Amino acid sequence: EIVLTQSPGTLSLSPGERATLSCRASQSVRSDYLAWYQQKPGQAPRLLIYDASNRATGIPDRFTGSGSGTDFSLTISRLEPEDSALYYCQQYGDPPGCSFGQGTKLEIK
Amino acid sequence: EVLLVQSGAEVKKPGESLKISCKGSGYSFTTYWIAWVRQMPGKGLEWMGVIYPRDSDTTYSPSFQGQVVISADTSINTAYLQWSSLKSSDNAIYYCARHLREWLPHDGFDVWGPGTLVTVSA
């Protein structure tokens, strides 16, 4: 089973700044099958990025996914207060299922 | 609009059985895999398993194999997650989620249900 480790655990930034969230896999993720999700309190997760770098429908271009192999990043530019949330990475390239990272909490000061 | 609608919150006692549901609408229910994801209080996301409604092909996470049963009824576009004997450790929110792309068994999840809160308490 592929283990995903996200860093940092918490990130505190100001509006307008750029956030970079990291997701490291314990082994190479096949076909870069990696997704990023945003979860706000009391809500279900929302898909932001799939296949490492493709934005999901309706996701603003402030959200950018990058990386391959074992190292992946989610960059959020021009932070807005509404970006405060938990962010999870997920790999789905290791059958039979998938696994999630433990999450990064993003706080907008 | 593509939607997954889940059944309401449940309060059960240890040892009781439970079946929660997830009804899909606005898309071809039979040809998209549906996953179940657990989120324990204040914790992260855990993949439990997945089902392909067309033929009920099902895969479980080793952590949940034997603990739950995933099923689907294509006549009413509904997937299910069931327990035969609940434990207090089953306290969690359970989400169903649709795979992004038709037919693909390994994929991200683009549509999520709102979650079903399961409380198990004596």
Side-chain angles (χ1 to χ4, degrees):
Chain A
E1 177 191 341
I2 295 180
V3 176
L4 299 178
T5 302
Q6 292 186 240
S7 61
T10 301
L11 191 54
S12 187
L13 294 168
S14 299
E17 289 191 307
R18 178 167 63 186
T20 300
L21 286 64
S22 173
C23 177
R24 177 163 289 179
S26 59
Q27 55 188 282
S28 186
V29 177
R30 180 174 67 97
S31 301
D32 294 336
Y33 279 163
L34 188 115
W36 289 92
Y37 299 86
Q38 177 193 67
Q39 186 179 33
K40 296 182 179 180
Q43 296 184 17
R46 177 174 71 143
L47 178 67
L48 300 173
I49 301 289
Y50 65 95
D51 295 352
S53 61
N54 294 299
R55 268 185 294 274
T57 302
I59 302 303
D61 59 7
R62 299 188 298 107
F63 292 84
T64 302
S66 62
S68 66
T70 60
D71 289 298
F72 299 87
S73 296
L74 173 69
T75 300
I76 312 170
S77 60
R78 306 183 303 279
L79 284 169
E80 299 179 2
E82 69 208 43
D83 297 331
S84 288
L86 274 165
Y87 291 83
Y88 293 95
C89 59
Q90 173 211 22
Q91 68 78 25
Y92 43 94
D94 179 36
C98 67
S99 55
F100 292 92
Q102 82 280 17
T104 289
K105 184 177 182 180
L106 175 61
E107 299 174 338
I108 309 301
K109 292 179 285 193
Chain B
E1 184 187 7
V2 177
L3 283 176
L4 294 175
V5 177
Q6 296 189 235
S7 48
E10 300 274 2
V11 180
K12 292 288 189 179
K13 290 181 168 45
E16 291 187 333
S17 62
L18 175 64
K19 192 174 189 177
I20 62 175
S21 66
C22 168
K23 183 176 176 62
S25 63
Y27 73 99
S28 173
F29 181 78
T30 58
T31 56
Y32 285 80
W33 292 75
I34 292 280
W36 286 94
V37 176
R38 183 175 78 174
Q39 188 165 39
M40 299 178 76
K43 301 298 183 182
L45 305 171
E46 300 174 88
W47 179 79
M48 302 177 69
V50 68
I51 188 166
Y52 190 60
R54 170 163 283 185
D55 60 7
S56 290
D57 185 9
T58 307
T59 302
Y60 295 92
S61 161
S63 300
F64 293 93
Q65 179 83 49
Q67 308 304 308
V68 296
V69 174
I70 295 171
S71 60
D73 183 341
T74 57
S75 69
I76 54 172
N77 289 356
T78 300
Y80 300 97
L81 178 67
Q82 67 181 91
W83 295 258
S84 58
S85 181
L86 286 161
K87 311 178 191 63
S88 59
S89 57
D90 293 319
N91 280 300
I93 296 173
Y94 294 87
Y95 294 102
C96 61
R98 190 192 78 161
H99 278 202
L100 171 65
R101 287 163 286 204
E102 214 169 2
W103 310 306
L104 285 191
H106 310 293
D107 210 354
F109 308 151
D110 70 329
V111 181
W112 293 67
T116 295
L117 176 64
V118 174
T119 303
V120 183
S121 175

